[in-house]
Amino acid sequence: MAYHSFLLEPISCHAWNKDRTQIALCPNNHDVHIYKKEGSGWTRIHVLKEHNGQVTGIDWAPESNRIVTCGTDRNAYVWTLKGSVWKPTLVILRINRAARCVKWSPRENKFAVGSGSRLISVCYFEQDNDWWVCKHIKKPIRSTILSLDWHPNNVLLAAGSCDFKCRIFSAYIKELEDKPAPTPWGSKMPFGEVMFESSGAGGWVHDVSFSASGNRVAWASHDSTVAIAEGGKTPVVASLCSETLPLLCITFITENSLVAAGHDCYPVLFIYDAEKGTITFGGKLDVPKQSSQRGMTARERFQNLDKKATAENKEAVLESLHKNSISQISILEGDKTKCAKFCTTGMDGGMAIWDVKVSLLLAKSLPNCVTHIVYIQAYRLVLNLFQTLESAMKDLKIV
Amino acid sequence: MAKNTLSSRFRKVDIDEFDENKFVDEQEEPAELQGPDGAEITCMGLNVLLCTGDMMTAFHVALRNPPINTKNAAVKERAQAIVLRVLTSFRSSEIETAVRSLDRNGVDLLMKYIYRGFEKPTENSSVILLQWHEKAFAVGGLGSIVRVLTARKTV
């Protein structure tokens, strides 16, 4: 597990280049900073200044080495490396609200931008005009699109939205590609067709992820649930109500398991059993801090009782690696069929790299700990008081 | 003179009502879940159960058929009153076993009733509800509380 603190402010979004030596991130302002790994540290090699508003999404195409960024200024730019300088090309998205997320398609000939204008802009390069053109997917989206993920066939697009639904759209552009082969999600895929729509009972859908084969889609929503839908004549949906705070980002790491992270500041593992149609919680994937278990003196006990109405010694310090919510997760080594390492960035300005094998070993060997909230209960106070009086008297050697 | 001498009635207009793209929450067809009564149990029936000390059955009956889909405030009030009665008649030592007997959805539903009960505290209700809250939280975790806050169909 490696943790590097880039900033004191949240990292809005990040993207890795193909060989994972460079990371592009937005340090909560209008720029994009590109850092290069040198030895054990990171040096900033480029600053991309073009946006007029906070950059909300970055994606780095591995093969064509182009970066696409989108921001709250309602624009997207495609950056190409010319020599040693990144040159931007404006893409007119025709939206009247902020752009929220952007993703290159698997074949990198188009990208999709989700925005607060309740639509998805699918943009592709038109050779004749030498210009990026966009097409809109509007119906039946009712609110902001928070997250996007492409299906491996370069046509289907999963979108998680604030209208509580996860949908799969077809983003088939006939000028760019041939008709796609039938998939479990459907065979007729005209542009903008809704192939799947989840039931809208739940919270905002924060993140969506297709599995490596594209036959499954998982989404994390704000009511602390994780759900997976399996494509078919009637899609099978399995969901799990988790006991944690809402998850903000999710990704498949094998065909049957997911890693997700969110407001609880640590990544968690979920395992999907296709036969039973259930999702189970696989454990926390975090390095537990070695907390010193020293005994409490009687005086501390009374002070705790007075202040917090409990005799327990629970400190309000996060034991996880990240000290604030994790907002984005990306696969570093491997792919969605078998991921070896993944990276998380969060609101604490830090980036952590997690080794899947090591994390899983740790998760299995140590018991899961549940954090407790302290609250006041009148009768319990008295009970505790008597107990601590006893032990206090023993401490003070009265009895 | 900065005072606007023309009518300022326009300031009271709710402009979002006229926005044609306004998000209207699609509610599913109310399945006429009338709260934990129906033909099976009336208040008297519940009384019988409570008097004989059959807390678990009363508990499960009270939590059946929550009035989630109706918009009828009276039905919800009645359901809340019934559940509150059952919850307050439990002994503190039995709360834990009762919570354990519920499944995941049951715990979420119990949390919803507990928070609804917090909204209108009476003489003793808060203390009892806090005990129930502690036990339900131990089983449901923060997720169950988040689901109470984000649920659009309230109990």
Side-chain angles (χ1 to χ4, degrees):
Chain A
M1 256 61 85
Y3 180 81
H4 183 262
S5 175
F6 276 104
L7 325 147
L8 291 171
E9 286 188 299
I11 295 181
S12 316
C13 46
H14 76 271
W16 290 91
N17 68 344
K18 179 174 183 181
D19 51 7
R20 311 310 195 207
T21 52
Q22 295 183 25
I23 182 173
L25 50 85
C26 169
N28 203 36
N29 59 12
H30 303 333
D31 310 326
V32 175
H33 293 191
I34 299 186
Y35 285 82
K36 187 180 170 120
K37 184 144 183 70
E38 273 167 19
S40 61
W42 296 83
T43 40
R44 187 168 64 201
I45 50 172
H46 292 117
V47 176
L48 275 45
K49 278 183 191 297
E50 197 74 23
H51 276 282
N52 277 328
Q54 194 197 11
V55 180
T56 48
I58 305 179
D59 201 16
W60 199 323
E63 303 303 325
S64 50
N65 204 33
R66 289 178 296 185
I67 300 179
V68 63
T69 59
C70 72
T72 55
D73 59 352
R74 314 188 298 276
N75 288 335
Y77 291 94
V78 174
W79 303 79
T80 28
L81 189 63
K82 297 237 165 57
S84 61
V85 179
W86 287 93
K87 290 260 185 275
T89 312
L90 173 66
V91 178
I92 307 267
L93 298 171
R94 294 185 284 130
I95 54 180
N96 55 7
R97 295 285 187 278
R100 273 302 252 109
C101 50
V102 63
K103 272 274 163 72
W104 280 109
S105 71
R107 259 178 249 149
E108 297 164 24
N109 48 8
K110 52 187 177 179
F111 61 87
V113 180
S115 67
S117 319
R118 297 186 283 217
L119 49 85
I120 305 174
S121 304
V122 181
C123 310
Y124 59 98
F125 195 67
E126 221 170 52
Q127 280 294 1
D128 320 330
N129 298 337
D130 195 23
W131 186 241
W132 287 89
V133 176
C134 81
K135 280 187 159 179
H136 284 170
I137 300 178
K138 265 196 156 159
K139 293 196 181 348
I141 305 170
R142 312 290 309 287
S143 190
T144 308
I145 298 282
L146 287 178
S147 54
L148 294 167
D149 195 28
W150 286 92
H151 187 283
N153 73 356
N154 211 53
V155 170
L156 296 179
L157 182 62
S161 158
C162 275
D163 60 2
F164 319 112
K165 292 186 198 241
C166 164
R167 298 185 179 89
I168 299 184
F169 291 100
S170 158
Y172 168 64
I173 310 251
K174 59 180 191 299
E175 291 92 344
L176 278 187
E177 50 209 347
D178 311 318
K179 268 211 161 67
T183 67
W185 301 104
S187 32
K188 279 203 174 298
M189 290 178 252
F191 182 81
E193 178 86 358
V194 180
M195 315 300 290
F196 166 74
E197 193 181 68
S198 70
S199 68
W204 308 314
V205 178
H206 282 295
D207 202 11
V208 290
S209 172
F210 265 115
S211 68
S213 63
N215 296 336
R216 296 181 184 155
V217 68
W219 63 94
S221 62
H222 197 69
D223 60 346
S224 295
T225 53
V226 173
I228 295 183
E230 183 123 26
K233 275 239 155 53
T234 40
V236 176
V237 179
S239 74
L240 171 73
C241 297
S242 79
E243 291 170 2
T244 59
L245 290 175
L247 297 159
L248 288 175
C249 47
I250 193 169
T251 180
F252 273 92
I253 50 168
T254 67
E255 192 70 17
N256 285 322
S257 49
L258 305 151
V259 163
H263 288 293
D264 269 318
C265 319
Y266 51 75
V268 291
L269 177 71
F270 291 102
I271 316 234
Y272 176 62
D273 187 334
E275 282 146 20
K276 290 191 226 155
T278 55
I279 310 176
T280 43
F281 178 67
K284 273 169 67 165
L285 299 174
D286 202 324
V287 178
K289 217 169 71 173
Q290 302 299 326
S291 53
S292 54
Q293 283 288 343
R294 52 180 198 62
M296 286 175 69
T297 63
R299 191 205 174 119
E300 277 172 359
R301 271 238 162 93
F302 277 117
Q303 275 179 335
N304 260 351
L305 262 182
D306 186 39
K307 264 192 284 183
K308 298 187 240 173
T310 173
E312 295 158 0
N313 183 17
K314 288 268 189 301
E315 288 169 23
V317 165
L318 273 181
E319 291 173 354
S320 54
L321 209 53
H322 276 282
K323 298 303 175 199
N324 206 330
S325 313
I326 296 177
S327 52
Q328 195 176 342
I329 198 170
S330 58
I331 294 190
L332 215 53
E333 242 179 62
D335 56 9
K336 282 186 187 169
T337 37
K338 202 174 168 59
C339 169
K341 282 197 186 153
F342 61 90
C343 153
T344 51
T345 57
M347 311 239 225
D348 56 351
M351 171 203 70
I353 298 182
W354 306 82
D355 201 320
V356 173
K357 285 203 190 64
V358 176
S359 317
L360 281 175
L361 267 171
L362 277 174
K364 281 199 184 107
S365 58
L366 293 156
N368 293 329
C369 40
V370 181
T371 49
H372 287 281
I373 296 180
V374 172
Y375 38 77
I376 300 171
Q377 287 183 311
Y379 86 112
R380 237 179 159 222
L381 190 95
V382 174
L383 223 80
N384 279 339
L385 200 55
F386 277 121
Q387 283 168 354
T388 48
L389 269 176
E390 262 189 65
S391 53
M393 290 200 284
K394 284 203 190 107
D395 278 342
L396 299 169
K397 298 206 174 42
I398 294 177
V399 168
Chain B
M1 279 287 284
K3 185 169 159 70
N4 177 18
T5 47
L6 295 172
S7 161
S8 45
R9 250 187 4 205
F10 69 90
R11 297 191 191 279
K12 299 208 179 81
V13 171
D14 181 8
I15 193 138
D16 285 331
E17 291 293 318
F18 300 106
D19 181 15
E20 58 233 5
N21 282 330
K22 187 177 137 201
F23 180 82
V24 174
D25 208 355
E26 300 158 6
Q27 295 285 5
E28 286 158 20
E29 293 309 311
E32 293 310 309
L33 296 175
Q34 292 287 345
D37 58 349
E40 300 166 59
I41 193 126
T42 59
C43 264
M44 280 217 316
L46 200 65
N47 272 333
V48 168
L49 276 175
L50 288 174
C51 289
T52 54
D54 192 356
M55 311 305 267
M56 292 298 285
T57 326
F59 183 58
H60 285 277
V61 165
L63 287 179
R64 230 189 300 166
N65 285 343
I68 285 186
N69 280 331
T70 70
K71 295 205 183 91
N72 190 343
V75 170
K76 295 194 188 224
E77 279 297 326
R78 193 151 60 106
Q80 173 62 24
I82 292 176
V83 173
L84 196 55
R85 255 193 72 210
V86 175
L87 292 185
T88 45
S89 8
F90 261 80
R91 259 178 302 207
S92 320
S93 43
E94 294 171 355
I95 294 182
E96 189 155 354
T97 28
V99 173
R100 289 245 169 169
S101 69
L102 290 174
D103 62 343
R104 224 347 124 50
N105 291 335
V107 173
D108 286 347
L109 184 60
L110 177 64
M111 266 300 191
K112 284 190 181 156
Y113 277 117
I114 291 175
Y115 274 92
R116 187 100 201 270
F118 280 146
E119 286 171 29
K120 296 205 174 85
T122 62
E123 273 297 319
N124 285 329
S125 67
S126 291
V127 175
I128 313 284
L129 283 174
L130 275 171
Q131 292 170 28
W132 277 95
H133 184 278
E134 182 195 1
K135 298 285 181 269
F137 172 71
V139 177
L142 290 163
S144 60
I145 300 182
V146 171
R147 274 183 285 282
V148 172
L149 297 171
T150 56
R152 286 168 300 136
K153 297 201 176 123
T154 55
V155 85

